[in-house]
Amino acid sequence: MKKVLAFDIGGTKIAYAVIDKKGNFTNEIIKVTTPKTSAGIFELLKTVIKGFEDEVDGVAIATAGAINNDNNKIISHVGNLPEKYNELDFTSLTSKPILLENDANAAGWAEFKLGAAKGTRNAVILTLGTGVGSGIIVDGKLLKGKSGSAGEMHMRFGFGHERKCTCGLWDCLETYVSGNALTTDAKVYISPEATSYDVIKGLKENNQKARAAFDHWQEYLENALVMMGNLFDPEVIVLSGSMAQFVEYDRLNKQANDDILTQPFKLKPAKFENNAGMLGVALLLLERLN
Amino acid sequence: MKKVLAFDIGGTKIAYAVIDKKGNFTNEIIKVTTPKTSAGIFELLKTVIKGFEDEVDGVAIATAGAINNDNNKIISHVGNLPEKYNELDFTSLTSKPILLENDANAAGWAEFKLGAAKGTRNAVILTLGTGVGSGIIVDGKLLKGKSGSAGEMHMRFGFGHERKCTCGLWDCLETYVSGNALTTDAKVYISPEATSYDVIKGLKENNQKARAAFDHWQEYLENALVMMGNLFDPEVIVLSGSMAQFVEYDRLNKQANDDILTQPFKLKPAKFENNAGMLGVALLLLERLN
């Protein structure tokens, strides 16, 4: 059975595994800290690929950043990754077939094919991690746009110049709905040293300041759901990424559906959690190899 | 050649005309003031349809509001139209084939098939009228979602509870980018009695207050373009509706493309202006009749 070596390159960690046509991970997932330079990332990928090259049919890479599918390069600067990451020539890493996909697009495809959005035709998968990404399924296909980089979740959520975004603008949705955003709320509602971890810890201890920080963060998330519900009229919105486990699904599901103009959607947690990116890009490449 | 009777039902006016397969308007477009009650709208439509029924092959209606294509009904309340408009049973108007489509979707389809977005595969057509609507083309097809009502442009542009939206929420994009929004800016920058007409008039006279009001309005529009560029990665964004003629295209084209993370799009004025809704829904119905 055909299988590929799949990577997920994030701002904090790089994970990799071998994945077969049925979506099975045939070895344990390895996770390493993301090197601090783009050259370091490239060397790491090269070494790992060399080690697996004889046993796989291709290399699939899920990564932060908008992808140009015409040349497998990253479009423009990616906030959470080192400088010049967008200059890396990924195709030179191997002579085997190689496919890059935005990590959130890849995660969306995994949830659509085998996960929480399986059986639907229109779905939005939001990845709430260090940043915020989306994989959007329109009529059974991944929303790509003209160059493959659609689904970038950078839109203004305010005009007060309150939160600087990694994209260079101010007050993007990402600055209110990501893991980093919860840390921003922690500093406002708890203390200047507090982080998202303190909010999550405080929630379990019924700490009122932590609750206020979390409610503020979740109010913005609810508005992100309303936006995506109104724009895409999906059957399901799936939340993925490290922050997804903390969301109050029943509450947000009701609130957001009360506020949309379109027909109700169902809010669900992702099935594959942090492995969705690797799985999705592997499935995309394996579909092409057939 | 097959032809249909096409309507465009807006909050201010109802327009109608007969349109053939090639997109030709075979009679003069008639415009009447929108009746103040839903029953009045229904009676008007019925009378006009009766008058044309013998010479057309169907009835195509572009209207404000999200449409459920399964039953040709409007989903939920439509801010700019009378109460109970969403309860009207449009299918009972005629025994001929009838198709309803959201006016902005219809306008988008007209621009995509025969207008400013012709020849593209991914396009966003924003209609800036009393409210704001969108017709979004994804990979050559109209973005519809699960029930046909995708493309509703209601997303929060701020959280200060500054502008009440017709959808019931606060500070939606529509309250910043519509014709009504320019009137709001006119009241802030010019005088409490001023409207959008005073802004447009003042611009021609180089009035500084009018310029400030317009710049504020256009800044929000630029951010709407960034949002749609990042989300859909379109080849073109087309501006339609009554406000589109006042936009500074070169300036906004440059600013928005400087701010997006995706590849550049082209900003263009619509070809069909206010007749795009009628034309688009007519083309959609005529495609089905073939």
Side-chain angles (χ1 to χ4, degrees):
Chain A
M1 190 186 309
K2 286 217 163 102
K3 52 191 180 180
V4 297
L5 174 62
F7 290 90
D8 191 340
I9 305 177
T12 314
K13 282 177 194 151
I14 294 179
Y16 58 91
V18 175
I19 299 173
D20 73 17
K21 244 182 78 175
K22 289 189 175 166
N24 297 313
F25 288 64
T26 65
N27 67 344
E28 203 182 327
I29 299 164
I30 312 288
K31 287 182 185 174
V32 295
T33 303
T34 305
K36 294 214 182 324
T37 66
S38 292
I41 293 174
F42 195 81
E43 284 310 309
L44 173 70
L45 296 177
K46 203 161 183 175
T47 308
V48 174
I49 290 170
K50 205 172 172 189
F52 282 95
E53 212 154 28
D54 293 341
E55 53 175 298
V56 297
D57 301 289
V59 176
I61 301 177
T63 169
I67 312 292
N68 185 341
N69 280 153
D70 293 338
N71 62 6
N72 270 330
K73 278 202 173 183
I74 314 287
I75 296 164
S76 76
H77 176 62
V78 182
N80 300 319
L81 283 164
E83 271 181 39
K84 300 195 177 177
Y85 183 67
N86 56 318
E87 293 175 15
L88 293 182
D89 179 16
F90 292 94
T91 50
S92 72
L93 281 167
T94 175
S95 56
K96 301 254 165 142
I98 185 164
L99 178 72
L100 258 75
E101 188 51 82
N102 171 270
D103 47 10
N105 276 358
W109 193 249
E111 295 295 336
F112 171 65
K113 292 298 278 188
L114 298 173
K118 192 177 168 184
T120 69
R121 295 287 297 169
N122 297 278
V124 171
I125 295 88
L126 293 181
T127 303
L128 313 175
T130 315
V132 175
S134 78
I136 300 165
I137 311 298
V138 173
D139 202 18
K141 287 166 67 178
L142 198 55
L143 175 70
K144 300 284 289 178
K146 68 176 179 300
S147 60
S149 59
E152 286 293 316
M153 294 295 288
H154 288 266
M155 56 284 292
R156 298 286 282 269
F157 247 35
F159 290 82
H161 279 217
E162 288 175 9
R163 299 186 182 194
K164 184 81 178 168
C165 185
T166 54
C167 78
L169 299 184
W170 287 88
D171 304 323
C172 282
L173 176 141
E174 175 163 310
T175 68
Y176 288 95
V177 179
S178 62
N180 284 345
L182 186 57
T183 289
T184 304
D185 287 321
K187 292 185 193 318
V188 173
Y189 288 91
I190 303 177
S191 77
E193 296 79 32
T195 70
S196 55
Y197 296 98
D198 298 302
V199 178
I200 300 306
K201 189 165 161 281
L203 277 185
K204 289 172 189 156
E205 297 161 354
N206 286 317
N207 178 295
Q208 287 193 5
K209 288 178 179 174
R211 168 49 68 183
F214 189 75
D215 282 352
H216 189 256
W217 180 83
Q218 209 169 228
E219 184 196 340
Y220 283 89
L221 177 57
E222 192 257 333
N223 278 283
L225 300 179
V226 170
M227 173 176 72
M228 300 307 268
N230 277 333
L231 265 180
F232 292 99
D233 185 20
E235 289 141 275
V236 63
I237 298 183
V238 176
L239 300 183
S240 178
S242 57
M243 299 301 297
Q245 60 187 303
F246 305 118
V247 170
E248 294 164 322
Y249 285 88
D250 288 346
R251 184 178 160 188
L252 276 202
N253 191 67
K254 186 181 178 317
Q255 279 183 358
N257 277 301
D258 280 350
D259 284 345
I260 58 170
L261 294 173
T262 49
Q263 298 291 75
F265 60 82
K266 182 94 188 81
L267 181 67
K268 292 168 86 172
K271 180 175 175 186
F272 298 112
E273 297 283 346
N274 292 324
N275 305 325
M278 274 186 285
L279 177 58
V281 73
L283 293 173
L284 282 165
L285 178 55
L286 286 159
E287 284 164 26
R288 288 204 192 176
L289 293 180
N290 274 327
Chain B
M1 190 186 309
K2 286 219 163 99
K3 52 191 180 180
V4 298
L5 174 62
F7 290 91
D8 192 340
I9 305 176
T12 314
K13 283 176 194 152
I14 294 179
Y16 58 91
V18 175
I19 300 173
D20 72 17
K21 244 183 77 173
K22 290 188 174 167
N24 297 313
F25 288 64
T26 64
N27 66 345
E28 203 181 328
I29 298 163
I30 312 288
K31 287 181 186 175
V32 295
T33 303
T34 305
K36 294 213 182 324
T37 65
S38 292
I41 293 174
F42 195 82
E43 283 311 309
L44 173 69
L45 296 177
K46 204 162 182 173
T47 308
V48 174
I49 290 170
K50 206 173 171 187
F52 282 95
E53 211 154 29
D54 293 341
E55 54 174 298
V56 298
D57 302 287
V59 176
I61 301 178
T63 169
I67 313 292
N68 184 343
N69 281 152
D70 293 337
N71 62 6
N72 270 329
K73 279 201 171 183
I74 314 286
I75 296 165
S76 76
H77 176 63
V78 182
N80 300 320
L81 283 164
E83 270 179 41
K84 300 194 178 178
Y85 184 67
N86 57 319
E87 293 175 16
L88 293 182
D89 179 16
F90 293 93
T91 50
S92 72
L93 281 166
T94 175
S95 56
K96 301 253 166 141
I98 184 164
L99 178 73
L100 259 76
E101 188 52 81
N102 171 269
D103 48 10
N105 276 358
W109 193 250
E111 295 296 335
F112 171 65
K113 293 298 279 187
L114 298 173
K118 192 177 169 183
T120 68
R121 295 286 297 169
N122 297 278
V124 171
I125 295 88
L126 292 180
T127 302
L128 312 174
T130 315
V132 175
S134 78
I136 300 165
I137 311 298
V138 172
D139 201 19
K141 286 165 67 178
L142 198 55
L143 175 70
K144 300 283 291 179
K146 67 177 178 301
S147 59
S149 59
E152 287 292 317
M153 293 295 287
H154 289 266
M155 57 282 295
R156 298 285 283 270
F157 248 36
F159 290 82
H161 280 217
E162 290 176 9
R163 299 186 182 196
K164 183 81 178 169
C165 185
T166 55
C167 77
L169 298 184
W170 287 89
D171 304 323
C172 281
L173 177 141
E174 175 163 310
T175 68
Y176 288 94
V177 179
S178 63
N180 284 346
L182 187 57
T183 289
T184 304
D185 286 321
K187 292 184 193 318
V188 173
Y189 288 91
I190 301 176
S191 78
E193 295 79 32
T195 69
S196 55
Y197 296 97
D198 298 302
V199 178
I200 300 307
K201 188 165 162 280
L203 276 185
K204 289 171 189 155
E205 297 160 356
N206 287 318
N207 177 296
Q208 286 193 6
K209 288 178 179 174
R211 169 46 70 181
F214 189 75
D215 282 352
H216 189 255
W217 180 83
Q218 210 170 227
E219 185 197 340
Y220 283 90
L221 178 58
E222 192 256 333
N223 279 282
L225 300 179
V226 170
M227 174 176 71
M228 299 308 267
N230 277 333
L231 264 180
F232 292 99
D233 185 21
E235 288 141 274
V236 63
I237 298 182
V238 176
L239 300 182
S240 179
S242 56
M243 298 301 298
Q245 61 187 301
F246 305 119
V247 170
E248 294 164 324
Y249 285 87
D250 288 345
R251 183 178 160 186
L252 276 202
N253 192 66
K254 186 181 178 319
Q255 279 183 358
N257 277 301
D258 280 350
D259 284 345
I260 58 170
L261 294 173
T262 50
Q263 298 291 77
F265 60 83
K266 181 97 187 80
L267 182 67
K268 292 169 85 171
K271 179 175 176 186
F272 298 113
E273 297 283 345
N274 292 325
N275 305 327
M278 274 186 287
L279 177 57
V281 73
L283 293 174
L284 282 166
L285 178 56
L286 286 158
E287 284 164 27
R288 288 202 193 177
L289 293 180
N290 275 326

